[in-house]
Amino acid sequence: MIVRRLGLVGLALASVPLLCGTASAAREVDVVLQPAPLTAPAIAPGAPAQPPRQARPARPAPERPAAVPAGEPQDNDALSGSPGEFIEGETPVLPPALPSTAALRTTRDEEPTFADFAPAEPPAAAPEAAAAGDPEPPVAAAGPAASAEPSALPTPDPTSVALKELLAPTKGKAKDPLAVVATFYDRRGYTPLWLAGGRFTGSGRAVIHRLARADAYGLDPARYDLPPLDIGIAAPATPAALAEAEIALTRAALKFAADAQGGIMPPTALGDLVTARPTRPDPAQVLTGLAEASDKVAYLEGFNPPHPGFAALQRLLAELRDHTASTTTLTIPDGPSIKPGMSDERVPLLRRRLGLQPVEGEAALVYDEATVEAVKAFQQRATLEVDGVVGPQTLIGLNGGAEVTVADVLVNMERWRWLPRDMGELHVWVNIPEYRLRVMNGGRVSFETRVIVGTPKNQTPIFSDAIQYVDVNPYWNVPRSIAAKEMMPEILRDPGFFERRGLQVIYTGGPQEQIVDPRSIDWSQWNAETMPFRFRQPPGEANALGRVKFMFPNKHAVYLHDTPTRTLFNRSVRAFSHGCVRVDQPVAFADALLAGEEQLNGERIKRLIAGGENGSLPLRKHVPVHLTYFTVWVDEAGEVQKRPDIYGHDQTMKTGLGLGS
């Protein structure tokens, strides 16, 4: 819908004062204005033609410039049309050159609703000139043509003046929260971004509606101090009130952009082992982008994480809030594990849950081969142990997992904001509560395997880095914390500890490190924290790191590596390490990881392992690795997955964000 107010110009004038040289030389003469022929574009379809007025007979007059016929373009600001208000999402229509009386009526815009700006269908982009400023200038009164005298300087916009009065004192004061806003408006001459004609533009109203529903993105709308949507509509607002509303919306938009991209809760609130570094947008760039954006709602929405996993949780959030009894998932009752070949009354429900055709007769209760294969496929998708047995974990997964609450989804959406926006075309993804590693290549899973992560006492840290090299037949350099807290008590009790564990003692107190005999040292004389020794385990089958490790040097001294203790991978709960991530299939993982390398692959690593010598293989291109913590997600099959909060991060975040339990 387009609303315009146009000035009316008489089609014929009885007399026009003309100037010849100076005002004193002017004299009144009669003018004859012949009506211009009406062309097709001059009249809107369906509008009645308006006959021209009868002109008075002309009298002889001195030679002078010919009058401009009515209906032709005139170089006269007083007679030109004014830009009308453009409502986003509608196509502009040019007004007729000779509008009818009906065309001059103004119509109040319809207020946008939340559905108009839903995330799935963002509003169509509108020309910025129309979206950013929809002035409704007063209708020009009909009167004599403007004289050739110089016009007076335009009156400053009162709202711009008020903006300058409010913001100018803060410009350049770096510590003032309004400093960036003040600089932005100063550069645009204090022209409002959201207001025109004493009220919010269509873009301004759309942004207010969207921020008022920020909960759709997992954010709290109460964080955004929004101005009244109808300011200046019910009654004229003062310039000062309009300026305050303008600034309030600008600041709310800035805060939303920061929250949407970087989150509300700092990762460090979960402890020293959570060193994820969310990026926050530069406020000056946000404001520049807002000024240039034709669709300001879509521009602000773009600060949310671009990852499909975040979008899936956003949809799940909406479903949970709209949940009804009709959407309840089929539930399979608890009971003993169902193994292949067994008969169980729950098998028909199991077939229904897996989308299989029902079986008639006595065979209906038999856990047959087709059902076993369907269960295995489900276990594979759910990253459960693929054995075809419907045990407790598989049953929980089939029943939709443990109950997923809105608070569960919100804390996981918040953690998505801690990840880099660009995670890398090829990257490694470790989800700690899932005990799973995936290699992602071009948005697809090219490899996945089970992993073992840190215990609740020795947690695997949460952060992003990049794998720089692969260490084949590695040494295990025992962290001092493990040596002091776990090994020293046993060393004092057992003189043969080092030989039994296959560890070397390296003396670090001299100009050069050297291997020493542990039996020559009186360990009771040394403080475990300050002793001039370190321990290491040479390469070999018993090495705690296995045959290969994948290095991304970091402050936590953790990495991905092989392990000689392979039986632990068969456990459904795999939190056993001191913080590092143990990989079930290290050589196959190396093959997927080194997909972009020319000289490195799994086969070469196999040959080097067989050689038994320690060596480091640098990657030509470092591969991003993300150690993450997601307890709720939606898998590729659309199934909602939930895992136990093994480190208690969910509960800490729920408390910090005021979400309850």
Side-chain angles (χ1 to χ4, degrees), residues 630-651:
F630 289 100
T631 55
V632 173
W633 69 95
V634 181
D635 65 20
E636 294 179 349
E639 299 276 358
V640 178
Q641 300 290 340
K642 182 177 182 179
R643 295 295 183 273
D645 181 19
I646 58 176
Y647 295 163
H649 291 333
D650 279 7
Q651 191 55 53

Side-chain angles (χ1 to χ4, degrees), residues 114-435:
F114 174 70
D116 295 330
F117 309 104
E121 298 182 8
E128 179 57 18
D134 331 341
E136 286 195 357
V139 177
S147 71
E149 289 183 343
S151 59
L153 292 175
T155 303
D157 175 40
T159 305
S160 297
V161 173
L163 271 174
K164 185 172 184 179
E165 290 176 352
L166 288 172
L167 293 173
T170 66
K171 182 174 174 290
K173 296 181 179 179
K175 294 184 179 181
D176 194 301
L178 284 176
V180 173
V181 176
T183 300
F184 168 72
Y185 280 102
D186 178 67
R187 289 176 178 172
R188 56 189 280 119
Y190 294 95
T191 301
L193 176 64
W194 310 105
L195 293 162
R199 61 190 180 109
F200 282 116
T201 63
S203 291
R205 294 194 299 275
V207 168
I208 292 173
H209 272 284
R210 174 53 73 218
L211 298 190
R213 293 301 305 273
D215 55 345
Y217 307 107
L219 299 171
D220 184 3
R223 288 178 56 81
Y224 314 110
D225 188 12
L226 297 171
L229 180 70
D230 60 350
I231 189 170
I233 293 180
T238 65
L242 292 171
E244 289 176 355
E246 170 81 17
I247 295 171
L249 184 52
T250 298
R251 296 186 69 179
L254 281 175
K255 192 169 188 178
F256 175 87
D259 290 351
Q261 182 167 311
I264 297 172
M265 189 175 192
T268 52
L270 298 184
D272 295 338
L273 292 176
V274 182
T275 54
R277 296 176 180 175
T279 58
R280 296 191 178 275
D282 177 72
Q285 293 180 2
V286 173
L287 292 176
T288 299
L290 275 171
E292 296 174 352
S294 58
D295 187 336
K296 292 175 171 48
V297 168
Y299 174 76
L300 287 173
E301 287 176 333
F303 286 98
N304 285 292
H307 314 299
F310 177 86
L313 284 183
Q314 185 179 348
R315 292 190 294 270
L316 175 60
L317 178 65
E319 291 171 7
L320 288 174
R321 286 171 171 161
D322 295 337
H323 184 72
T324 61
S326 62
T327 61
T328 301
T329 304
L330 175 69
T331 300
I332 302 171
D334 292 335
S337 295
I338 308 175
K339 298 180 180 180
M342 290 179 59
S343 291
D344 194 290
E345 294 181 353
R346 295 170 293 170
V347 170
L349 287 175
L350 181 61
R351 289 196 181 99
R352 284 179 56 193
R353 172 67 181 81
L354 296 170
L356 300 176
Q357 292 294 326
V359 175
E360 302 295 335
E362 294 181 0
L365 303 182
V366 177
Y367 186 30
D368 60 11
E369 185 177 351
T371 311
V372 170
E373 291 304 314
V375 167
K376 286 182 177 180
F378 172 82
Q379 290 172 328
Q380 180 69 35
R381 293 196 307 269
T383 65
L384 298 168
E385 185 177 353
V386 183
D387 58 6
V389 176
V390 183
Q393 293 298 321
T394 299
L395 196 60
I396 289 174
L398 288 167
N399 286 334
E403 183 184 2
V404 176
T405 66
V406 168
D408 292 332
V409 177
L410 291 175
V411 296
N412 281 274
M413 291 177 73
E414 177 77 357
R415 285 195 290 266
W416 271 107
R417 305 182 198 278
W418 298 352
L419 286 166
R421 294 178 73 79
D422 182 3
M423 298 179 67
E425 182 74 7
L426 173 68
H427 68 265
V428 177
W429 170 280
V430 177
N431 187 18
I432 296 167
E434 189 185 5
Y435 310 115

Side-chain angles (χ1 to χ4, degrees), residues 23-108:
S24 59
R27 62 190 182 85
E28 184 177 299
V29 294
D30 291 326
V31 180
V32 176
L33 296 183
Q34 298 296 335
L38 298 178
T39 60
I43 295 184
Q50 299 184 19
R53 297 179 183 178
Q54 183 66 37
R56 295 190 332 188
R59 292 187 300 179
E63 185 177 351
R64 63 194 185 284
V68 181
E72 295 296 326
Q74 303 185 40
D75 186 14
N76 188 326
D77 290 341
L79 302 179
S80 63
S82 302
E85 183 173 56
F86 177 76
I87 304 302
E88 288 184 305
E90 299 191 11
T91 305
V93 180
L94 294 177
L98 293 176
S100 66
T101 304
L104 297 177
R105 299 193 188 103
T106 60
T107 305
R108 176 171 295 184

Side-chain angles (χ1 to χ4, degrees), residues 485-505:
K485 296 177 181 179
E486 299 182 24
M487 292 184 173
M488 279 303 292
E490 191 171 351
I491 291 170
L492 293 172
R493 292 192 305 267
D494 180 9
F497 171 82
F498 291 98
E499 183 179 359
R500 182 167 51 82
R501 297 285 295 269
L503 295 173
Q504 297 174 336
V505 177

Side-chain angles (χ1 to χ4, degrees), residues 541-552:
E541 292 184 359
N543 187 282
L545 304 181
R547 291 294 193 171
V548 59
K549 66 178 179 179
F550 306 88
M551 295 297 294
F552 41 103

